[in-house]
Amino acid sequence: MLRLTTLATGLLLSANALALSLADLTQSDASSGLKDALSQGAQIAVKQLGKPGGFSNNEDVRIELPGKLGKAAQTMKMMGMGAQVDELEASMNKAAEAAVPQAQAILLDAVKKMTVTDAKGILAGGDDSATQYLNKSSRAEIRAKFLPIVKQATDKVGVAKQYNAFAGQAAAFGVVDAKSANVENYVTEQALDGLFKMIAEQEASLRENPAGAATSLAKKVFGAL
């Protein structure tokens, strides 16, 4: 009985020792572990989206015509003009898939530039606070990289010019928002939204299952949240 009691006490003490809180981590460890996890999440998101079908085969991020243009597209399909709509939507998703790999270096650079103060704010923030940091710190630079790639891809599709003519008029009447007034801007913003959505999913996954982190330091940090 004494041995069993001693064993149980030892196991309990061991468990308590492993149950770290953020207060038990050094600022350096907390910052480095978070950087490891963010780098991992960004790379996985880019890999998932930056391949054929990365957008088009994923219902969560697939790019379709916006708002009332999307409703008009359904009418066009019923009128036998579905091939043109399909061509445009396929080109939108292919353009996003071609652009996404350009984001990786920018995202990893944003992670490297993260300060200890940034890390503190992220670790004390909400469930997607790390993703929000990346969105805020890198979105504009990624947008600038995406836009010419998307434009080059969509310019090859004749119906894209029709989209721009129609969407420009539609925006003037408030049918679509200004961001959707031309196809390259619309696809770029949708690609950015999809990218950060996938990064957020990676962050949520690591918060729920720290064992899935690629480094021991990241495991320790997310295990303490």
Side-chain angles (χ1 to χ4, degrees):
M1 180 65 72
L2 182 59
R3 277 185 191 172
L4 287 173
T5 303
T6 303
L7 178 60
T9 303
L11 288 171
L12 183 60
L13 289 172
S14 297
N16 288 336
L18 291 171
L20 293 171
S21 71
L22 286 176
D24 298 316
L25 299 174
T26 66
Q27 290 184 353
S28 176
D29 279 358
S31 178
S32 297
L34 180 58
K35 287 181 179 182
D36 287 348
L38 263 180
S39 297
Q40 177 185 348
Q43 289 172 315
I44 291 174
V46 168
K47 185 176 181 180
Q48 288 175 336
L49 295 177
K51 63 182 181 181
F55 277 85
S56 59
N57 293 339
N58 185 334
E59 290 186 4
D60 290 335
V61 296
R62 186 171 58 231
I63 302 173
E64 299 176 343
L65 290 170
K68 293 184 179 179
L69 289 180
K71 293 179 181 177
Q74 296 304 315
T75 303
M76 288 175 68
K77 288 181 179 181
M78 288 188 288
M79 294 173 63
M81 299 172 67
Q84 293 182 47
V85 174
D86 291 343
E87 181 188 13
L88 178 56
E89 291 190 340
S91 74
M92 288 176 171
N93 286 279
K94 286 178 182 177
E97 290 155 9
V100 158
Q102 298 296 315
Q104 181 161 304
I106 297 171
L107 289 168
L108 294 181
D109 188 53
V111 171
K112 286 179 184 177
K113 290 177 179 175
M114 181 191 297
T115 65
V116 171
T117 302
D118 291 330
K120 278 184 180 178
I122 290 167
L123 293 171
D127 288 345
D128 66 343
S129 54
T131 303
Q132 291 301 322
Y133 166 80
L134 282 183
N135 193 351
K136 183 178 179 181
S137 61
S138 62
R139 188 179 183 107
E141 190 177 353
I142 296 172
R143 180 188 291 116
K145 285 281 190 182
F146 278 14
L147 200 55
I149 296 171
V150 170
K151 181 168 174 52
Q152 184 179 23
T154 53
D155 276 351
K156 296 176 183 177
V157 183
V159 74
K161 293 179 181 178
Q162 296 173 29
Y163 171 99
N164 286 348
F166 184 64
Q169 294 174 357
F173 290 102
V175 175
V176 297
D177 61 34
K179 288 182 180 179
S180 304
N182 68 61
V183 69
E184 58 266 26
N185 283 343
Y186 171 66
V187 173
T188 295
E189 292 305 319
Q190 291 293 299
L192 286 164
D193 287 348
L195 173 62
F196 288 110
K197 180 180 178 64
M198 297 302 287
I199 292 174
E201 287 185 5
Q202 290 301 315
E203 179 180 358
S205 176
L206 288 179
R207 286 178 182 273
E208 186 177 336
N209 179 29
T215 69
S216 58
L217 204 50
K219 287 182 175 72
K220 185 190 291 187
V221 170
F222 276 83
L225 293 179

